[in-house]
Amino acid sequence: MAEKVVIIGSGPSGLAAAIYAARANLQPLLFEGQGLQENWDLGRPPGGQLMITTEVENYPGFPSGDLSAYLDKAIDKDRRLYMAPHSGHGVSGPELVELIRQQAVNCGTRIVSDDVADIDFSGRPFTLKLANGESVQAHSIIIATGARANYLGLESEKKFKNRGVSACAVCDGALPRFRNKPLVVVGGGDSAMEETSYLAKFASKVYVVHRRDKFRASKAMAQRVIENHKVEVKWNSTIDEVLGDDANGVTAVRIRSTVDPSKSEVLDAAGYFAAIGHTPNTDFLKGQLLTTDKGYIQWTLPHRTNTSIEGVFASGDVADDYYRQAITAAGSGCQAALDAERWLAAQGIE
């Protein structure tokens, strides 16, 4: 028998969709992905980007404080055992994901730890092929697979990720470890300009490292960065290595000239922000859905999560190249569940 709704993805968007779908009595089936090292290395772990985020200060309802007792009571004991000890400061990314996941389970969501390898949209119900070789049929699908941040691929980036290396200024820039300290941003597009302008509010200085002699960003945004007294642009330069230690995380960044590779320079910095774009996790769709020029799934109705295939909905960062925040992802997950519920009702499937 075909599922009423299948949700692919287990970040805030997919889990929020699951909560709303379960409360609508749609008995949602959610595929959270396999916890393979490969998925972690590719930046798409089960639970999404929050799983590689430490402190979360901007998700409503979780002010700073010791949540140990609450976490112990709210989360299933078997899963709580595998979580890192609570820091005593506020909610972490993995803790927030686990809380939302537990809420989805409590509402009646069935969660399977497998990846969807392929989907056949040619017939109804749709057929999903899993990585383990099994197949599942669904009347409707919510795609909430997110997007992964692009990095340069340096071993030192990986080494200090979440210890000074970040790809989201809005998420992390206001954290104490970055306040009133020098920071480095790599990139030259609009995203890099936005990240730099945001970080300049908190940092003592922001170095922008760009491999060319002019930015790719719009002139207005680029000019705003260049004229900021806290910003220094390092033209014709690339990142050679992120430097640091186990005690402090990132302490400096070494850059190298693209004009004369023999010239390098070390910039003291408490943080390194990669602002070279994101890649939506849509490979498994094999181009079957309409996307934007950046590869994000395109919503085909204003203010709705409908995609180019009827009965298929998209939510979260896989369809959002602008906000990319946990709360906006969760909000669009709610929208997708409501859109799916109403579509199913119109088809006589309840």
Side-chain angles (χ1 to χ4, degrees):
M1 180 181 293
E3 302 288 341
K4 294 177 184 177
V5 59
V6 163
I7 300 167
I8 309 172
S10 55
S13 184
L15 293 172
I19 291 169
Y20 274 80
R23 285 174 55 81
N25 201 31
L26 296 180
Q27 297 93 41
L29 175 63
L30 183 147
F31 291 101
E32 65 178 354
Q34 297 176 321
L36 300 175
Q37 188 61 47
E38 177 186 0
N39 283 339
W40 284 86
D41 291 343
L42 290 173
R44 56 186 192 197
Q49 294 296 300
L50 279 181
M51 295 299 293
I52 50 177
T53 302
T54 50
E55 300 168 65
V56 179
E57 292 187 329
N58 56 5
Y59 199 91
F62 293 93
S64 179
D66 191 340
L67 302 176
S68 300
Y70 172 64
L71 291 168
D72 289 342
K73 291 182 179 179
I75 298 172
D76 183 88
K77 291 181 179 179
D78 290 339
R79 293 189 66 85
R80 186 79 180 97
L81 288 172
Y82 291 99
M83 297 176 65
H86 179 61
S87 67
H89 173 69
V91 72
S92 71
E95 288 167 351
L96 181 56
V97 169
E98 196 62 48
L99 286 168
I100 306 173
R101 185 186 190 279
Q102 186 68 55
Q103 191 173 359
V105 170
N106 291 350
C107 289
T109 303
R110 293 163 293 147
I111 298 179
V112 175
S113 299
D114 203 357
D115 290 301
V116 175
D118 191 17
I119 306 178
D120 183 359
F121 292 118
S122 63
R124 294 183 182 278
F126 306 120
T127 300
L128 299 86
K129 297 180 180 179
L130 309 182
N132 66 10
E134 296 179 3
S135 294
V136 173
Q137 290 192 315
H139 292 294
S140 68
I141 298 174
I142 296 174
I143 299 169
T145 46
R148 59 191 183 274
N150 297 333
Y151 290 92
L152 297 177
L154 302 173
E155 277 300 315
S156 53
E157 282 179 319
K158 185 186 301 184
K159 179 179 180 181
F160 292 108
K161 197 172 290 185
N162 294 324
R163 293 192 296 148
V165 169
S166 172
C168 183
V170 174
C171 307
D172 302 329
L175 294 176
R177 73 174 301 143
F178 300 127
R179 281 182 177 266
N180 302 312
K181 297 174 183 176
L183 305 174
V184 169
V185 174
V186 57
D190 286 348
S191 293
M193 301 302 101
E194 291 174 352
E195 301 275 279
T196 300
S197 295
Y198 185 85
L199 291 171
K201 299 176 183 179
F202 307 100
S204 60
K205 187 181 188 67
V206 181
Y207 297 101
V208 181
V209 180
H210 185 48
R211 63 182 300 110
R212 300 182 178 86
D213 59 0
K214 62 180 179 180
F215 290 132
R216 293 178 288 103
S218 65
K219 290 183 178 180
M221 295 182 70
Q223 196 62 31
R224 192 179 308 133
V225 165
I226 292 170
E227 293 177 353
N228 192 313
H229 72 279
K230 281 190 174 183
V231 176
E232 181 178 341
V233 181
K234 295 293 184 179
W235 302 107
N236 298 311
S237 300
T238 59
I239 304 295
D240 204 33
E241 186 179 7
V242 181
L243 307 173
D245 54 55
D246 291 339
N248 301 297
V250 173
T251 58
V253 173
R254 184 170 61 242
I255 65 174
R256 190 170 299 279
S257 170
T258 58
V259 178
D260 182 357
S262 67
K263 293 183 178 180
S264 65
E265 180 182 1
V266 173
L267 308 174
D268 289 336
Y272 162 96
F273 288 79
I276 52 178
H278 289 70
T279 300
N281 297 317
T282 56
D283 293 348
F284 71 102
L285 296 173
K286 299 178 173 60
Q288 296 179 85
L289 293 179
L290 181 66
T291 61
T292 67
D293 57 356
K294 295 181 180 180
Y296 291 81
I297 297 176
Q298 189 166 322
W299 289 346
T300 55
L301 291 176
H303 312 296
R304 298 289 186 272
T305 62
N306 302 63
T307 71
S308 57
I309 295 179
E310 191 176 345
V312 180
F313 307 87
S315 64
D317 290 8
V318 75
D320 173 19
D321 67 346
Y322 187 73
Y323 294 106
R324 292 196 297 263
Q325 299 299 303
I327 187 170
T328 53
S332 65
C334 162
Q335 290 177 269
L338 295 176
D339 289 340
E341 177 194 3
R342 290 163 185 171
W343 182 85
L344 288 166
Q347 309 303 308
I349 303 169
E350 296 181 354

